[in-house]
Amino acid sequence: MSSEDRVGEDSRNCIAVDLHDIQATILRHRPEPYFGTHVFLHINDAHGGREFLRRLAPHIGSAADWWKAGDAWIAVAISYPGLVALGVPGDSLRSFPEAFRAGMAARAEELHDYGANDPKNWERPFGSGQIHVQVSIVSPTEDKWHRTMETARQQYEGFSGVTVLLIQDFGAQPGSLNSLGYKDSIGQPAIEGSGVEPLPGQGRPIKAGEFILSYPGEAGVPLAMPQPDTLGRNGTYVGLRKYQSRVGAFNRFLRENGQNDEERELLAAKLVGRWRSGAPLTLAPAKDDAALGEDPHRNNDFTYANDPQGKQVPLGCHMRRMNPRDTKMPVLTDVNIHRLIRRSTTYGAPYDANTISELDDEGARGIYFLFISAKAMSTLEFLQQDWINDGTFMNLGSERDPLVGLQEERNTFTIPKEPVRRRIHDIETFNVLRGGEYLFMPSLSALKWLAGLNAEAAERPARHG
Ligand code: HEM
């Protein structure tokens, strides 16, 4: 199904967000297949940084034509040290949330990024304060990827204002699978007023202010936003977490706990809540159904109402933790205030089920987990503390998320079933955190403001406000 199919006249009539000012990535789904590159840059001096943004700004995609599948686009986001390097006035810098200003590495304690995930083990330049700007090129074809990459390259190559720190290509693996062999990017929130028609099962549209600054959120009012308004309006935050997938450990775990391919695939499905094809266990509990996994009108159309104890979809599996939907939980929470727009990208060699050696645990492959939220920092801290690295909210004691939890104490994973539940011991950390950053994704007009095109107006609110 193409994106065009998801926008009727009705939905276009009720667009309430400023699509022309919002960056494309916020509303555009990751294409399938997808190709692209993340470029991480350092600003050498304020003038050079602003000049770079001025050159780049006309090439940044807006969300105006989000339904046009087939285009490649460029996105840009800036870290707090990047805003400082650009010479953003002090009053304005102070208006950003504390966790954003501190940076992801400094918030390791709040994020429970300990042990293997500790920032001291991260790959440089992550967590060093050197990353100022992230430019991402996303494309549905290889050809458009190269052409769009060339456009981006022309803005920074040979330009003394910025230095390239890291270039990371990414792309869909054969069959659109991620580094552990699963189809991903299926469960996404519908956004009220965006014109994007909700897919069956997506639930009621979430208030735009949860994802884009300056619009009312679920609480009925907009979140506090960076000042001046020109800078904050239509912007948002991006959380980036670079994970290295320990494919050898994952495959060994499946082999040790499954007698044959069938049992191993069922276990892989129980860890996530979906078969690797994307078919949800709620709708295909006993056997994979690849056609169901492929079909966006059916593959998310379910609740957990008929499975309160998790006999089909374990309460502690990744997907049910990350979006419990209608699961009755001992700790009362409004699940709609913890939703994320996910724009993750897979990098490195394709998943191989026969890879089992310990050497394969260190391979350079995994996921740049990228998510968008107007309160990215507090949402990530909540998820890491309560839903990923703990099990109390589902009556699972200290059990952790089997895909992204940090399994420091050789934890367990419980699969409820008749007549007795199965408890698997010695689950390992399958995805190790290798870096992370918080970034601000400005609107297109804020980008121009930052570039200094409107410098005089920019100074006024800063002086008085
Ligand atoms: C390497 C790391 C990760 C892997 C391999 C992974 C894999 C997956 C897979 C296979 C799915 C099911 C298909 C889909 O809906 O896309 C999924 C869903 C999801 N994941 Fe992850 N994930 C990873 C990291 C994370 C992290 C760090 C978070 C949150 C902080 C997260 C949040 C979610 C959410 C919100 C969903 C959708 C749940 C729903 O709406 O039903 N994932 N992930």
Side-chain angles (χ1 to χ4, degrees):
M1 188 194 61
S2 74
S3 306
E4 281 95 334
D5 299 336
R6 292 184 54 196
V7 60
E9 212 172 312
D10 282 357
S11 38
R12 279 198 221 180
N13 285 343
C14 62
I15 290 174
V17 297
D18 188 352
L19 299 182
H20 290 274
D21 201 31
I22 293 168
Q23 287 202 39
T25 285
I26 300 175
L27 293 187
R28 277 200 182 186
H29 283 219
R30 197 185 67 189
E32 224 182 288
Y34 64 97
F35 304 84
T37 306
H38 298 303
V39 185
F40 298 94
L41 300 125
H42 181 80
I43 294 170
N44 297 330
D45 61 84
H47 176 76
R50 286 180 173 224
E51 177 59 13
F52 168 62
L53 291 188
R54 193 190 63 73
R55 293 159 68 129
L56 189 70
H59 304 289
I60 301 300
S62 87
D65 48 2
W66 63 260
W67 52 85
K68 275 193 201 149
D71 285 353
W73 70 90
I74 306 177
V76 64
I78 305 167
S79 67
Y80 182 72
L83 295 169
V84 175
L86 284 167
V88 169
D91 287 359
S92 175
L93 291 173
R94 284 188 290 278
S95 66
F96 281 84
E98 194 189 333
F100 174 75
R101 283 154 50 197
M104 196 179 278
R107 301 290 289 187
E109 202 160 321
E110 289 80 2
L111 289 164
H112 290 201
D113 287 339
Y114 308 130
N117 289 353
D118 191 310
K120 70 173 187 291
N121 300 321
W122 289 4
E123 292 166 5
R124 288 297 174 254
F126 295 106
S128 67
Q130 295 296 300
I131 292 178
H132 289 164
V133 182
Q134 177 181 353
V135 175
S136 299
I137 293 88
V138 187
S139 170
T141 67
E142 218 167 335
D143 182 47
K144 286 182 187 171
W145 167 36
H146 292 308
R147 275 189 277 138
T148 312
M149 183 63 206
E150 190 46 39
T151 302
R153 201 189 337 257
Q154 281 167 10
Q155 315 316 317
Y156 61 75
E157 210 163 70
F159 178 64
S160 63
V162 291
T163 303
V164 175
L165 301 174
L166 175 69
I167 296 186
Q168 174 74 61
D169 290 344
F170 58 81
Q173 316 238 331
S176 286
L177 306 180
N178 68 20
S179 52
L180 292 181
Y182 296 85
K183 180 174 160 67
D184 67 3
S185 207
I186 303 171
Q188 302 281 6
I191 304 169
E192 192 179 282
S194 67
V196 185
E197 201 70 50
L199 284 164
Q202 238 181 333
R204 74 159 171 80
I206 308 293
K207 297 278 181 209
E210 295 291 309
F211 307 107
I212 310 165
L213 292 163
S214 73
Y215 300 93
E218 287 289 307
V221 288
L223 295 167
M225 65 177 185
Q227 293 299 310
D229 284 0
T230 325
L231 178 60
R233 193 183 309 119
N234 291 324
T236 189
Y237 294 97
V238 176
L240 163 71
R241 313 256 295 164
K242 178 183 180 182
Y243 284 98
Q244 178 189 12
S245 296
R246 298 178 64 228
V247 179
F250 188 68
N251 286 340
R252 288 196 300 278
F253 175 81
L254 295 181
R255 285 186 186 206
E256 280 156 20
N257 294 290
Q259 303 289 319
N260 50 43
D261 283 351
E262 212 175 301
E263 280 187 19
R264 285 171 203 144
E265 282 310 299
L266 179 60
L267 175 56
K270 293 281 186 186
L271 295 174
V272 166
R274 290 183 188 272
W275 298 90
R276 301 217 223 205
S277 68
L281 274 172
T282 30
L283 302 180
K287 203 157 105 346
D288 191 7
D289 179 346
L292 170 64
E294 274 292 298
D295 184 350
H297 284 284
R298 294 193 294 141
N299 67 12
N300 209 30
D301 193 9
F302 61 88
T303 66
Y304 296 119
N306 295 326
D307 187 25
Q309 288 160 335
K311 286 183 186 151
Q312 289 172 351
V313 184
L315 297 169
C317 76
H318 176 62
M319 186 178 81
R320 198 158 177 175
R321 281 174 177 266
M322 294 297 90
N323 182 8
R325 301 184 189 219
D326 56 341
T327 305
K328 298 242 176 329
M329 294 180 281
V331 182
L332 219 59
T333 320
D334 177 359
V335 294
N336 289 326
I337 62 170
H338 306 301
R339 303 294 304 277
L340 309 170
I341 296 174
R342 290 176 300 138
R343 296 290 182 254
S344 293
T345 50
T346 295
Y347 67 93
Y351 173 75
D352 177 355
N354 297 316
T355 289
I356 49 163
S357 107
E358 283 178 20
L359 284 177
D360 298 316
D361 296 348
E362 301 306 321
R365 59 179 152 194
I367 290 179
Y368 273 74
F369 177 77
L370 261 156
F371 72 96
I372 292 167
S373 159
K375 49 181 195 204
M377 291 68 65
S378 55
T379 299
L380 186 66
E381 289 182 6
F382 169 81
L383 292 178
Q384 283 285 117
Q385 286 174 23
D386 287 26
W387 288 5
I388 290 178
N389 289 309
D390 194 20
T392 318
F393 79 114
M394 287 282 190
N395 274 335
L396 290 167
S398 59
E399 263 188 28
R400 298 176 176 193
D401 184 306
L403 275 202
V404 284
L406 177 71
Q407 310 294 349
E408 268 184 316
E409 290 140 39
R410 315 216 66 181
N411 244 324
T412 55
F413 177 66
T414 304
I415 304 180
K417 63 175 191 163
E418 298 290 357
V420 280
R421 67 174 180 221
R422 179 175 180 205
R423 183 161 280 166
I424 303 181
H425 294 267
D426 293 342
I427 184 160
E428 291 183 46
T429 303
F430 296 131
N431 288 289
V432 179
L433 190 66
R434 305 297 291 152
E437 297 288 337
Y438 286 134
L439 301 132
F440 175 63
M441 180 169 273
S443 69
L444 300 191
S445 49
L447 206 53
K448 289 186 187 143
W449 183 89
L450 284 165
L453 295 178
N454 197 9
E456 207 187 314
E459 291 306 321
R460 250 181 279 131
R463 268 204 302 270
H464 302 298

